Amino acid sequence: MNWLLIVIAGLFEVAFASCLGKVKETSGTEMYWWFGGFLLTLCISMTLLVKAAQTLPIGTAYAVWTGVGAVGTAIVGIVVFKDPATFWRVFFITTLIGSIIGLKAVSH
């Protein structure tokens, strides 16, 4: 259950990073709505991380949370924000996914 919380918290990390990207692209009232989304998703992500870290080792929980967030944010950046999808970028995203799976496999 706590592994699921970590993954969901990581997805909310993707959401708050994406909201920051939209804040940078917008202005006026729309910017404030995206900033509100950032604050909301940040709070949800942190709350889920704290909940999961109550039973998982903090180092593992934090590493997986940031890994899921980094992979998701990189993918959203490529798909939504048109960041370049170079070979090396995709290669290292793939190795990060392998590292997250590896942390899950060796955790007790």
Side-chain angles (χ1 to χ4, degrees):
M1 176 63 175
N2 286 318
W3 284 101
L4 180 61
L5 289 178
I6 285 292
V7 170
I8 294 170
L11 295 175
F12 275 100
E13 183 184 3
V14 173
F16 77 68
S18 299
C19 285
L20 278 180
K22 294 301 280 183
V23 165
K24 187 173 82 171
E25 293 180 352
T26 58
S27 62
T29 305
E30 185 179 1
M31 180 190 71
Y32 291 112
W33 281 107
W34 284 111
F35 188 72
F38 162 76
L39 291 175
L40 176 65
T41 54
L42 175 67
C43 289
I44 293 169
S45 182
M46 291 296 166
T47 301
L48 293 172
L49 175 61
V50 167
K51 179 71 177 155
Q54 291 174 346
T55 57
L56 296 173
I58 188 63
T60 301
Y62 184 76
V64 172
W65 175 74
T66 57
V68 169
V71 167
T73 303
I75 291 170
V76 168
I78 291 168
V79 174
V80 175
F81 295 105
K82 307 301 183 214
D83 292 346
T86 64
F87 169 80
W88 288 112
R89 182 175 224 156
V90 174
F91 172 79
F92 287 116
I93 290 170
T94 304
T95 60
L96 188 51
I97 292 168
S99 297
I100 294 167
I101 293 168
L103 278 173
K104 167 67 171 118
V106 300
S107 294
H108 298 96

